[in-house]
Amino acid sequence: MTARDVKFSFERVVKLNSPMKPHWELLDRVELEDDYTGVIVFKRPDAAVWLVPLPHAAGQIVSEEAVLRANKDGGDFGMKPPAFSGPYVLADWKPNQYTILTRNPDWSGLRPGFDEIRIFPIPDVKAAERAYQAGDVDLTSISVESLASFRSNPPPGSEIVQKPSTGYVWVGINMDHPKLKDINVRKAIQWAIDVPQILDVAYAGQAVLATGTVPPELSDIVRRRSSRRKAIAKAKEFMEKAGVTDLTLSIDCLNDSTSSTIAQTVQAQLSQIGISLEVQPEIPVRSGRSEWNRKETTGRMCSYSS
């Protein structure tokens, strides 16, 4: 791999309008200094480069020579990649229906355990749970709120594996929206949202209370909130400072059961301080960085998992 391959790989994503292009939205160019040295130049500072493009698909390096040999314009391979590096190869794929993997005849490593693997996209985790219980699938993720019941009464022949991640869920506030420019309104919303109650309602108390974007495993810092009564009083105090009454806001969330439950709980909590919240569920669009802060929406419930 050379610096030229890096330049080709990153700029190819932008040039060909790859679905990953939003990950490199601030990329200006890659300058080459020698065969193994270069500089990634951005249009403006981009701290998220370490979190979004570099460690994910947009940051993967491919050989310029090999790509141009397989596809003269360096474009998309479609669903027929010219090479596979693992024990399985892509045999068939139908959008939103299934993906079929079969053994790679050129694989020289340990023999994989299955002749064929079928992957079915099931967006709603509750539907996935029902499919597993019915025997329609052999492996699935389950919702956090179902963990306790699966542990106490697991389906026959099941093994439950719990792997805590660094994933987190938060409510983002659109500070550019006219209704939310006053910091007192934003502080009132922060005080009115009761996170422990959300964890009980949406996750059956199984999720861990976040102390920020740093996972508990990486930090011993714990921030404790005052009682619910004091929190509501504090929130109302900030609303009075802002001189705002009968405020109507909207929140976008993913169209799944957990996200909808969280949004509806926040809706009920904000109603206690005179804020009417309209919940707008939507289908997720895998387009890289969120564009929500450029829309008219006042806030969005977001999640991140790695």
Side-chain angles (χ1 to χ4, degrees):
M1 181 182 71
T2 66
R4 187 177 182 85
D5 292 322
V6 176
K7 176 180 176 67
F8 171 78
S9 301
F10 293 174
E11 294 182 355
R12 172 175 176 256
V13 172
V14 178
K15 177 183 176 182
L16 298 175
N17 289 313
S18 161
M20 295 292 103
K21 182 178 178 179
H23 288 182
W24 280 125
E25 66 178 343
L26 296 181
L27 176 68
D28 183 57
R29 64 192 183 280
V30 178
E31 296 179 348
L32 302 181
E33 297 184 351
D34 56 45
D35 287 346
Y36 300 103
T37 309
V39 178
I40 303 173
V41 181
F42 294 96
K43 299 170 185 174
R44 60 179 185 271
D46 185 17
V49 66
W50 304 106
L51 179 66
V52 183
L54 287 180
H56 294 288
Q60 294 178 357
I61 312 301
V62 294
S63 164
E64 180 181 18
E65 179 184 355
V67 170
L68 295 179
R69 189 188 308 134
N71 194 335
K72 291 183 179 180
D73 66 355
D76 189 359
F77 298 124
M79 296 312 297
K80 294 183 179 180
F84 294 91
S85 60
Y88 290 95
V89 299
L90 179 65
D92 193 13
W93 171 76
K94 287 191 181 299
N96 300 316
Q97 294 185 44
Y98 61 78
T99 300
I100 299 179
L101 307 178
T102 55
R103 293 183 187 277
N104 185 352
D106 298 323
W107 175 250
S108 59
L110 294 176
R111 180 179 172 83
F114 301 94
D115 293 329
E116 180 179 283
I117 297 176
R118 293 182 174 239
I119 303 171
F120 300 98
I122 307 176
D124 191 283
V125 68
K126 290 296 186 181
E129 290 176 10
R130 292 192 292 271
Y132 180 80
Q133 292 171 319
D136 295 330
V137 296
D138 300 308
L139 177 70
T140 188
S141 297
I142 62 173
S143 59
V144 177
E145 62 267 26
S146 297
L147 179 59
S149 61
F150 268 80
R151 276 178 171 166
S152 61
N153 187 27
S158 296
E159 178 183 0
I160 299 173
V161 179
Q162 183 177 358
K163 292 183 177 294
S165 76
T166 55
Y168 50 87
V169 176
W170 76 98
V171 175
I173 298 177
N174 186 351
M175 296 171 58
D176 293 330
H177 196 283
K179 294 182 179 180
L180 294 167
K181 281 188 175 292
D182 191 323
I183 192 174
N184 291 302
V185 175
R186 302 198 299 272
K187 285 183 176 181
I189 292 172
Q190 288 179 307
W191 278 96
I193 293 178
D194 186 350
V195 176
Q197 183 183 51
I198 292 174
L199 298 184
D200 288 338
V201 174
Y203 299 107
Q206 295 295 320
V208 178
L209 175 65
T211 57
T213 57
V214 179
E217 292 81 5
L218 305 180
S219 173
D220 293 328
I221 299 174
V222 178
R223 181 169 66 96
R224 297 191 180 276
R225 299 292 290 270
S226 59
S227 70
R228 181 61 183 162
R229 182 179 299 175
K230 290 182 179 179
I232 289 296
K234 192 75 173 178
K236 289 181 177 179
E237 180 183 323
F238 282 117
M239 290 292 284
E240 289 176 3
K241 284 184 180 181
V244 176
T245 57
D246 299 325
L247 181 62
T248 299
L249 302 174
S250 62
I251 184 169
D252 291 348
C253 69
L254 298 182
N255 190 22
D256 61 65
S257 57
T258 299
S259 299
S260 296
T261 298
I262 294 174
Q264 290 165 8
T265 304
V266 173
Q267 181 184 52
Q269 292 171 350
L270 295 188
S271 69
Q272 295 178 276
I273 62 169
I275 295 178
S276 177
L277 188 65
E278 298 175 355
V279 178
Q280 301 177 348
E282 60 179 38
I283 303 294
V285 178
R286 303 294 183 184
S287 60
R289 299 174 190 235
S290 173
E291 297 291 327
W292 71 269
N293 58 334
R294 299 176 185 173
K295 296 167 58 179
E296 286 303 312
T297 183
T298 52
R300 169 162 291 191
M301 191 179 72
C302 308
S303 65
Y304 173 78
S305 182
S306 63

